[in-house]
């Protein structure tokens, strides 16, 4: 078998693809799809390179078959083949060991640069993100967002960006324990950033253990919580720049308001007025007498309307066990032994009050 002579002369080559600015990659730009080594070259391209070295280290491009053109492109892209300036149409094999040193250093520099850019990206775009999420163009804007998932995502973005103040009015009964678990970390982070947090709940939350635990945790961290035994609308105000309210006609839609005048009205005329009429709540089991009296009056009204116990508990946002405890204490107060007797006494009392009112 004749010996194959490999050309050892140093040809004039075109500039190497190895550079500090943009190190070359394989033709696919996705190393994972190739099969050779770490994915830098396909096995077919490796075979073509070996054959080139073993047959003299030169390739005449005109002699390359159409099947090998893609493999040839891979070798050119990475720099294992370069053009010989002295011989147009001829490619020369490059020493892989020498090439790998240059490529490795260049790719490491590029990787470090990409990691640095990735770490800096959130900070670089924060100002633009603030502009996008809290537009302040003349006249302000109102966004209408449909669906609880999208509403919660958008609200979460606003709350996590708050730097000064969050006002929240949460009507209805106690919040689900899983919801409280989800937001407690976020609310504590808000307080750690130095922003204030004030929340209004329905009085029934005082009888709900998970809510009491949540309130005790956030108030110990600096939040303020109160309860209001009056009808009020769900409302969030963030940094006095944005407000969120439900759309009454469709409760699955929320309005995100960025108009300063409207936001100021909702904060000062709606939230602050409700806040001034509310009672402090620090998460303790002790319930103010005003709350107890109001709740029992609501129970009496519903009993006189013939509403059953399960519905009463649901409407008032309390458990049936809590309702039963109130009924037991009310039987003791009215000195009766059964619910039937309690209903009779309450009805007589209501009729007596009505007669007194009719005579002025």
């Amino acid at each position: 078998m004749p010996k194959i002579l490999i050309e050892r002369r140093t040809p004039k080559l075109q500039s190497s693809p190895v550079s500090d600015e943009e190190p070359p990659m394989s033709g696919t730009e996705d190393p994972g799809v190739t099969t050779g080594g770490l994915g830098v070259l396909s096995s077919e391209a490796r075979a073509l390179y070996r054959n080139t070295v073993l047959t003299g280290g030169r390739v005449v491009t005109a002699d390359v078959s159409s099947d090998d053109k893609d493999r040839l492109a891979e070798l050119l892209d990475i720099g294992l083949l370069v053009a010989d300036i002295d011989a147009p149409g001829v490619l020369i094999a490059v020493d892989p060991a020498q090439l790998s040193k240059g490529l490795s250093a260049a790719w490491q520099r590029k990787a470090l640069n990409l990691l640095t850019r990735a770490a800096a990206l959130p900070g670089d775009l924060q100002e633009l993100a603030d502009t996008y999420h809290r537009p302040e163009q003349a006249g302000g804007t109102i966004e209408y967002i449909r669906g609880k998932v999208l509403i919660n995502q958008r609200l979460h973005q606003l709350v996590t960006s708050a730097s000064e103040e969050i006002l929240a009015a949460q009507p209805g009964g106690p919040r689900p324990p899983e919801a409280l678990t989800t937001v407690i970390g976020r609310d504590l982070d808000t307080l750690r950033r130095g922003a204030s947090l004030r929340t209004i709940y329905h009085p029934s939350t005082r009888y709900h253990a998970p809510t009491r635990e949540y309130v005790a945790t956030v108030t110990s961290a600096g939040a303020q919580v109160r309860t209001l035994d009056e009808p009020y609308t769900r409302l969030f105000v963030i940094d006095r720049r944005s407000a969120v309210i439900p759309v009454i006609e469709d409760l699955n839609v929320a309005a995100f308001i960025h108009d300063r005048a409207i936001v100021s009205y909702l904060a000062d005329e709606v939230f602050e007025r409700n806040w001034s009429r509310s009672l402090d709540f620090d998460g303790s089991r002790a319930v103010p007498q005003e709350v107890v009296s109001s709740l029992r009056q609501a129970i009496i009204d519903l009993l006189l309307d013939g509403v059953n116990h399960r519905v009463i508990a649901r409407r008032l946002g309390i458990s049936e066990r809590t309702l039963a405890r109130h009924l037991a204490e009310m039987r003791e107060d009215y000195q009766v032994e059964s619910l039937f007797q309690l209903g009779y006494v309450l009805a007589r009392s209501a009729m007596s009050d009505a007669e007194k009112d009719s005579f002025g």
Side-chain angles (χ1 to χ4, degrees), residues 45 64 74 106 114 172 187 234 253 277 282 297 318 320 342:
V64 176
E74 285 187 57
L114 289 174
D187 292 345
R234 190 177 304 276
V253 179
R277 298 194 300 273
D282 62 3
Q297 185 58 54
I318 59 178
E320 292 185 53
L342 177 61

Side-chain angles (χ1 to χ4, degrees), residues 25-34 39-42 70-71 73-74 77:
M25 294 290 290
S26 63
T28 62
E29 288 298 326
D30 184 1
V33 301
T34 58
V40 177
L41 288 173
S42 67
D70 290 341
R71 321 307 174 201
E74 285 187 57
D77 285 344

Side-chain angles (χ1 to χ4, degrees), residues 300-319:
I300 291 171
D301 293 340
L302 291 171
L303 283 174
L304 293 175
D305 288 339
V307 180
N308 67 53
H309 293 183
R310 180 172 298 178
V311 176
I312 291 175
R314 186 171 65 248
R315 288 188 185 179
L316 298 180
I318 59 178
S319 67

Side-chain angles (χ1 to χ4, degrees), residues 129 201 219 234:
Y201 282 132
T219 53
R234 190 177 304 276

Side-chain angles (χ1 to χ4, degrees), residues 63-83:
D63 296 339
V64 176
S65 66
S66 58
D67 293 338
D68 282 337
K69 287 190 180 298
D70 290 341
R71 321 307 174 201
L72 189 67
E74 285 187 57
L75 298 174
L76 285 169
D77 285 344
I78 199 172
L80 282 170
L81 292 179
V82 296

Side-chain angles (χ1 to χ4, degrees), residues 118 197 257 316:
L197 174 61
I257 302 167
L316 298 180

Side-chain angles (χ1 to χ4, degrees), residues 2 12 30 34 37 41 66 80 102 109 126 153 183 198 244 255 267 283 287 301 317 333 335 337 343 358:
K12 294 181 181 179
D30 184 1
T34 58
L41 288 173
S66 58
L80 282 170
R109 286 192 294 272
Q126 185 59 50
Q153 287 178 349
V183 301
R198 287 190 286 160
V244 184
V287 180
D301 293 340
D333 291 341
Q335 297 180 348
E337 296 182 359
S358 65

